[in-house]
Amino acid sequence: MKEPGRYLVTAALPYANGPLHIGHIAGAYLPADIYVRYLRLKGRDVAFICGSDEHGVPITLRARKEGISPQKIVDKYHAINKKGFEDLGIEFDIYHRTSAPLHHKTASDFFRKLYEDGEFIEKEEEQFFDEQENQFLADRYIVGTCPSCGYDQAYGDQCEQCGTSLSPKELINPVSALSGNKPQLRKTKHWYLPLDRYQEEWLEEWIDSHQNDWKANVYGQCKSWLNQKLHPRAVTRDLEWGVPVPVEDTDSKVLYVWFDAPIGYISATRAWAEEKGKDWEKYWKDEDTSMIHFIGKDNIVFHCLIFPSMLKAHGEYILPDNVPANEFLNLEGDKLSTSRNWAVWVNEFVEQFPDKIDVLRYTLAANFPEQKDNDFTWKDFQNRNNNELVAVMGNFINRALVLTKKYFNRQVPEVKELTDYDRVTLERARAIKNDLEDRIEHYKFREAVKIAMDMGRLGNKYLADTEPWSLYEKDPGRVATVLNLSLQLAASISIVIEPFLPFTAEKLRKFLNISKLDWGLAGQSNILEAGHEVNKPQHLFQKVEDQVVEQQVEKLQEARRKKEQQERGVEPAKENISFDDFTRLDIRVGEILEAEKVPKTRKLMKLKVDTGLDTRTVVAGIAEQFSPEEVRGRQVSIAVNLDPRRIKGIESQGMILMAEDAEGRLTFLSPGTKTQRGAVVK
RNA sequence: GGCGAGAUAGCUCAGGUGGUUAGAGCGCAGCAUUCAUAAUGCUGAGGUCGUGAGUUCAAGUCUCACUCUCGCUACCA
């Protein structure tokens, strides 16, 4: 493999409407940081780029809800996340932001170039506009009467009642969901990127060419999309918050976030280059640059299909060499979730464990979800700290330093004569270094971190086998050699752990009284000169007590409980209806006679229900939580005068009433004691 | 249902182009050892490699079917 002249490494731009948790870190930022630190140690030319993604609808909605400007929101989270990365030792060359003027200009120019080259498909359409809110309405924000079934709460994209997919214009009496007013039809123009054409022309072929060097999950995901055929994708939106579309007569149109965000990598590189007096174009337009995108799996399509399409369409840019996307990290067996507050937040961790940043980095790296989703547990955090960092690595360093102090007054002793075993040990150290390079360059970080730990194991074994403490009386010369080599190993450790444990590496360099060393020295036998004075022995890591683990797990559960309580019963009340409206509903007590799962569906169960009036068939979405056996014979509430509706080819004549809690758990509304079939519920 | 990824020791995971007794770390058991935060080193137990067929002299490794898990998507709510 040819070594590229320079690297451009990007990490996904975090969306600036919330804080970061360890899932984000394990997915993209820590692997990227490890990779970049390694490249820097090797003296390679690398630009490490990240920043906040600050546009898009969710931010505007949040701003509206909190009654502040979108800029206030993004300012807040930009600052929090920027600091979070710094605290974790994730050292971007620049942490930029997409609300910066330079980004607006870069994205704008990019669009303009494609526009002028005629790359876009231009479509003019009529869309609904809410005059009171002064904005165009997304399909989902329009409600009206369904033309095919007459349901009056159908959405602009689909009728929930009959399942017909709709366009907003088909709705009878459309109403804006934002203001409740009647929206006006207005002409609006949008631009589309012809992904379908690119698929034919080069994109699919390009993806295929990476079958062997891209990760299986990444390649597979791309193929899945290509198999389903790509479609033109709109690159603009009618919205106020974002990068204005740089074409005449396009008031209140902005670039769609997914178009604008990846260009953020480019503008960030420009900002960095300006600051450092570098040429940004070399990093983006020179074939001798290797571009690597680190992302989570949710971002694969954008980085492997859409962004490359944009770059290629522009014409001057290189395409990524690799997109090593990770899968997701779970926490204590459950999916990380911001809304359920099931997460370890970066800012909280940093506050509570300022001296354990590297332990987190180590635990995460050892558990990176590289092939499949993986789990983070506090118990594992403790085990890895106590059994690996403390017991293996910290212990070896301490042993080497204590022995040096004891026998040589903290001076690195001179090598007298190397035995075969010494040579084998040195060879092994060099092999570790080489293995490490191989793994890191192939993005196998969890293996890499284990191999780095092997350097500590090697040291422990070396001391155990040579037993310098029982030798000093008889053969001080031998002890000198052994301790010299042990200290060389310690110095090697300070090099090879730098990508994973930068704070520890720094600490270890202080112990050894040395400055930062080049990667190439790792595994060498002459890193430290004889006579060099090392510092007093200290511990590299502290143990984590059981109590700490228990506290953290308890804290997690506590936070989740609180969140759940907060959210309990949040479903807002519907509009008032008249008593007459209510009496039109006919709800009865029915008894389920038969039940079977509807084949080829996940949730649907077909029920035969005796309503007292008749026996009828009802399809209900309960199969995920109930088995046919447990519902059979059960008395339930059933709405009997609903229009029948065909679901999966079965005519459903009514609806079983269920209560659904915040977790989505369903409960039957059954009479407290058995009662007459057909009894009226009122 | 469609598409994708995964299923290998108690746990977390490695196992290019098929080839002798299937590996690592942690955990567990025994032994050794004391320089070290009872840390370390050695040895060992433990696996029908999801299930069932097939290709082959030979399959964890290739083919097909099936089961289960996760994700996207559809349907449903």
Side-chain angles (χ1 to χ4, degrees):
Chain A
M1 197 168 35
K2 192 168 84 63
E3 190 176 300
R6 71 194 70 72
Y7 293 82
L8 177 66
V9 178
T10 73
L13 306 187
Y15 198 55
N17 76 335
L20 292 160
H21 56 59
I22 56 171
H24 299 118
I25 302 303
Y29 306 104
L30 185 52
D33 187 63
I34 291 171
Y35 188 67
V36 168
R37 281 176 180 274
Y38 164 77
L39 292 177
R40 286 181 185 145
L41 274 177
K42 291 204 88 171
R44 306 272 179 86
D45 181 357
V46 43
F48 186 20
I49 302 299
C50 196
S52 294
D53 173 9
E54 308 187 311
H55 295 137
V57 178
I59 284 171
T60 63
L61 291 181
R62 178 152 186 174
R64 174 199 289 243
K65 203 165 118 193
E66 295 183 16
I68 53 179
S69 70
Q71 190 65 47
K72 275 254 161 58
I73 302 266
V74 302
D75 283 351
K76 176 179 169 191
Y77 288 110
H78 176 76
I80 290 177
N81 291 340
K82 185 167 194 283
K83 178 168 186 306
F85 285 127
E86 281 163 13
D87 289 340
L88 290 181
I90 292 171
E91 287 186 341
F92 301 119
D93 284 308
I94 184 165
Y95 191 71
H96 204 238
R97 50 194 311 187
T98 61
S99 63
L102 177 62
H103 173 71
H104 279 237
K105 180 176 185 329
T106 308
S108 195
D109 290 350
F110 197 104
F111 178 92
R112 188 78 200 173
K113 168 83 163 65
L114 298 195
Y115 176 78
E116 280 166 4
D117 289 352
E119 282 290 333
F120 295 129
I121 302 168
E122 214 170 290
K123 285 191 196 169
E124 184 154 345
E125 290 161 322
E126 288 197 308
Q127 271 190 12
F128 281 111
F129 185 83
D130 186 320
E131 285 178 319
Q132 185 182 321
E133 296 291 329
N134 195 33
Q135 61 175 279
F136 279 96
L137 296 163
D139 292 355
R140 226 173 312 159
Y141 288 115
I142 302 161
V143 179
T145 303
C146 173
S148 67
C149 74
Y151 179 60
D152 64 358
Q153 292 291 310
Y155 293 117
D157 53 350
Q158 194 183 26
C159 170
E160 296 278 293
Q161 179 84 340
C162 65
T164 320
S165 57
L166 300 167
S167 81
K169 274 176 273 180
E170 294 175 88
L171 289 176
I172 302 160
N173 295 325
V175 169
S176 163
L178 292 182
S179 66
N181 295 336
K182 213 181 176 69
Q184 305 301 313
L185 270 179
R186 286 202 190 172
K187 277 204 172 166
T188 181
K189 196 190 276 183
H190 284 289
W191 289 270
Y192 291 73
L193 197 63
L195 295 175
D196 50 337
R197 202 184 89 209
Y198 300 148
Q199 177 171 6
E200 299 266 316
E201 286 175 1
W202 63 274
L203 185 56
E204 184 146 16
E205 199 181 325
W206 177 67
I207 294 291
D208 283 340
S209 76
H210 285 297
Q211 179 167 12
N212 295 319
D213 58 329
W214 286 11
K215 289 167 60 167
N217 57 335
V218 175
Y219 176 79
Q221 180 91 314
C222 292
K223 282 308 269 187
S224 175
W225 275 72
L226 291 169
N227 288 342
Q228 290 168 41
K229 295 289 175 217
L230 301 180
H231 302 288
R233 236 181 134 108
V235 303
T236 52
R237 298 226 96 184
D238 290 300
L239 194 74
E240 296 281 349
W241 179 244
V243 177
V245 173
V247 175
E248 302 300 305
D249 297 329
T250 53
D251 287 352
S252 36
K253 280 192 204 306
V254 295
L255 303 185
Y256 204 174
V257 262
W258 63 256
F259 186 85
D260 130 42
I263 295 174
Y265 296 139
I266 302 175
S267 35
T269 312
R270 290 181 67 171
W272 164 75
E274 245 168 52
E275 224 172 77
K276 298 278 154 104
K278 302 240 183 188
D279 176 8
W280 74 271
E281 289 183 293
K282 281 231 160 231
Y283 291 84
W284 279 95
K285 301 185 176 177
D286 187 329
E287 285 297 333
D288 196 26
T289 296
S290 178
M291 174 158 72
I292 314 289
H293 297 307
F294 283 88
I295 56 171
K297 67 173 166 185
D298 51 333
N299 251 326
I300 288 173
V301 175
F302 290 109
H303 287 79
C304 298
L305 300 176
I306 297 178
F307 189 43
S309 290
M310 291 163 56
L311 294 172
K312 182 95 169 176
H314 185 286
E316 295 171 10
Y317 287 88
I318 56 169
L319 299 181
D321 269 342
N322 212 322
V323 184
N326 270 353
E327 300 284 302
F328 287 155
L329 188 73
N330 293 327
L331 171 61
E332 302 284 351
D334 271 342
K335 203 183 288 190
L336 280 158
S337 160
T338 303
S339 59
R340 286 187 301 124
N341 202 3
W342 189 250
V344 175
W345 303 102
V346 168
N347 46 0
E348 288 182 11
F349 181 92
V350 166
E351 212 168 283
Q352 288 177 59
F353 302 104
D355 60 337
K356 295 215 163 15
I357 305 296
D358 276 350
V359 181
L360 180 66
R361 288 177 63 113
Y362 180 77
T363 307
L364 290 178
N367 285 310
F368 274 161
E370 288 173 355
Q371 322 274 345
K372 57 179 182 184
D373 291 358
N374 212 340
D375 205 25
F376 174 93
T377 65
W378 281 102
K379 191 68 194 165
D380 188 56
F381 175 84
Q382 181 194 31
N383 285 338
R384 297 218 178 252
N385 180 74
N386 294 359
N387 303 333
E388 298 176 27
L389 293 175
V390 172
V392 178
M393 184 141 299
N395 187 224
F396 168 64
I397 298 301
N398 189 243
R399 296 171 84 185
L401 291 174
V402 165
L403 289 166
T404 303
K405 175 170 181 253
K406 184 167 178 180
Y407 298 125
F408 301 101
N409 196 29
R410 305 210 321 259
Q411 313 271 317
V412 177
E414 222 166 301
V415 174
K416 306 294 180 196
E417 192 181 344
L418 289 182
T419 64
D420 285 348
Y421 185 65
D422 295 342
R423 275 188 273 272
V424 167
T425 300
L426 282 168
E427 207 170 290
R428 175 86 189 101
R430 282 192 293 273
I432 288 172
K433 176 210 167 221
N434 291 336
D435 277 1
L436 204 41
E437 292 182 354
D438 179 71
R439 298 317 141 93
I440 293 178
E441 282 174 20
H442 289 94
Y443 315 105
K444 297 187 169 180
F445 300 110
R446 46 188 305 161
E447 271 188 67
V449 78
K450 202 186 321 182
I451 291 170
M453 187 56 67
D454 283 343
M455 201 69 103
R457 288 181 215 290
L458 180 68
N460 279 321
K461 182 168 166 50
Y462 182 68
L463 285 180
D465 289 344
T466 53
E467 296 184 55
W469 51 89
S470 59
L471 237 59
Y472 192 70
E473 305 283 299
K474 289 177 289 184
D475 192 355
R478 178 65 192 141
V479 175
T481 304
V482 165
L483 284 183
N484 180 290
L485 281 197
S486 297
L487 290 168
Q488 305 295 350
L489 282 178
S492 285
I493 287 174
S494 83
I495 300 170
V496 300
I497 63 172
E498 163 76 22
F500 312 98
L501 312 171
F503 297 100
T504 306
E506 173 62 26
K507 205 165 162 187
L508 177 51
R509 288 195 293 268
K510 282 218 182 85
F511 290 2
L512 294 174
N513 189 24
I514 55 176
S515 51
K516 203 163 168 175
L517 304 169
D518 285 346
W519 179 263
L521 288 171
Q524 299 298 312
S525 58
N526 54 356
I527 309 174
L528 302 171
E529 282 181 27
H532 174 81
E533 187 169 305
V534 298
N535 282 314
K536 269 189 287 195
Q538 289 181 65
H539 293 312
L540 212 43
F541 299 98
Q542 307 305 319
K543 284 202 162 190
V544 170
E545 303 300 332
D546 291 347
Q547 189 197 351
V548 172
V549 173
E550 285 157 20
Q551 268 171 12
Q552 288 303 320
V553 174
E554 178 52 33
K555 180 179 164 227
L556 266 176
Q557 263 143 7
E558 180 62 27
R560 177 150 76 173
R561 269 197 295 276
K562 232 189 205 156
K563 187 87 184 178
E564 273 171 11
Q565 271 165 12
Q566 252 175 34
E567 283 183 354
R568 198 159 293 160
V570 284
E571 185 90 2
K574 291 179 184 163
E575 244 176 278
N576 282 355
I577 58 170
S578 69
F579 183 71
D580 279 352
D581 284 339
F582 173 70
T583 54
R584 291 172 62 196
L585 260 174
D586 193 344
I587 301 172
R588 305 294 181 111
V589 171
E591 190 165 315
I592 297 173
L593 304 177
E594 291 171 29
E596 57 178 296
K597 217 176 161 250
V598 179
K600 301 180 180 179
T601 65
R602 202 168 73 215
K603 293 187 180 175
L604 298 186
M605 196 180 287
K606 179 178 161 186
L607 308 170
K608 271 245 161 59
V609 184
D610 182 346
T611 62
L613 310 157
D614 50 24
T615 298
R616 53 174 81 188
T617 302
V618 177
V619 176
I622 58 172
E624 260 186 333
Q625 295 176 37
F626 298 95
S627 68
E629 293 70 37
E630 61 186 314
V631 303
R632 219 168 274 146
R634 187 156 200 152
Q635 287 202 332
V636 298
S637 307
I638 173 170
V640 294
N641 63 338
L642 282 177
D643 287 334
R645 177 172 171 190
R646 289 193 82 75
I647 299 168
K648 282 276 154 194
I650 302 162
E651 184 165 273
S652 181
Q653 303 158 309
M655 199 166 122
I656 307 291
L657 303 189
M658 306 292 294
E660 183 176 16
D661 69 10
E663 296 276 280
R665 278 185 297 258
L666 298 172
T667 312
F668 282 100
L669 295 179
S670 305
T673 52
K674 272 236 170 179
T675 182
Q676 181 201 343
R677 296 173 191 178
V680 177
V681 178
K682 53 184 184 182

